[in-house]
Amino acid sequence: MKKLTITYWAITVLMGAFILLGALIDISRSPDALAFIEHLGYPAYFVPFIGVVKLLGVIAVLIPGFPKLKEWAYAGLVFDTGGAIFSHLSSGDGPNKWGPALLALILVTLSYIFYTRKIKQNNLI
């Protein structure tokens, strides 16, 4: 049980930090974030919105309890990262552009897998 919990938290904290960094850049409306999102064809007002949504998703995943909210947050983070990959591929971007989104998707997926294992092991579902 302890190994599972440690693995879950290590991956989840790494995932949270990675996505949180991007969220803070988006929320601050950095010129790089605005150029990045406009390159993908989205309007500039989308940047702070998606940043706040990512921030809320990370908070929901990191706080204890609230299993239903956690499930929705994981789903939202999968849609966000999967959508980012799709947007980059549709724009003809190479791995240097869509790679970070793929890494984020992998971290979200691993975090969710270990979350569900931890829940099952503790007989919480």
Side-chain angles (χ1 to χ4, degrees):
M1 178 172 124
K2 189 170 186 169
K3 183 178 178 183
L4 178 63
T5 301
I6 291 169
T7 304
Y8 163 72
W9 278 111
I11 291 170
T12 302
V13 167
L14 182 61
M15 179 266 314
F18 192 72
I19 292 176
L20 181 63
L21 178 62
L24 295 176
I25 291 169
D26 292 344
I27 291 168
S28 72
R29 302 190 77 179
S30 99
D32 289 339
L34 293 172
F36 203 64
I37 206 80
E38 288 172 356
H39 160 73
L40 296 174
Y42 297 103
Y45 65 78
F46 188 68
V47 173
F49 167 76
I50 199 68
V52 168
V53 171
K54 287 191 261 188
L55 174 66
L56 293 174
V58 168
I59 291 169
V61 168
L62 290 176
I63 60 172
F66 306 100
K68 192 65 78 175
L69 180 62
K70 240 183 236 313
E71 292 279 338
W72 280 92
Y74 275 116
L77 293 171
V78 167
F79 291 138
D80 172 62
T81 54
I85 294 166
F86 180 81
S87 295
H88 284 296
L89 291 173
S90 297
S91 296
D93 292 339
N96 63 319
K97 298 287 185 178
W98 53 259
L102 178 61
L103 176 60
L105 179 60
I106 291 168
L107 290 171
V108 169
T109 303
L110 288 172
S111 174
Y112 181 73
I113 288 168
F114 282 100
Y115 168 69
T116 57
R117 286 182 183 172
K118 190 167 82 76
I119 293 298
K120 286 178 185 175
Q121 186 177 43
N122 293 332
N123 294 320
L124 297 176
I125 59 169

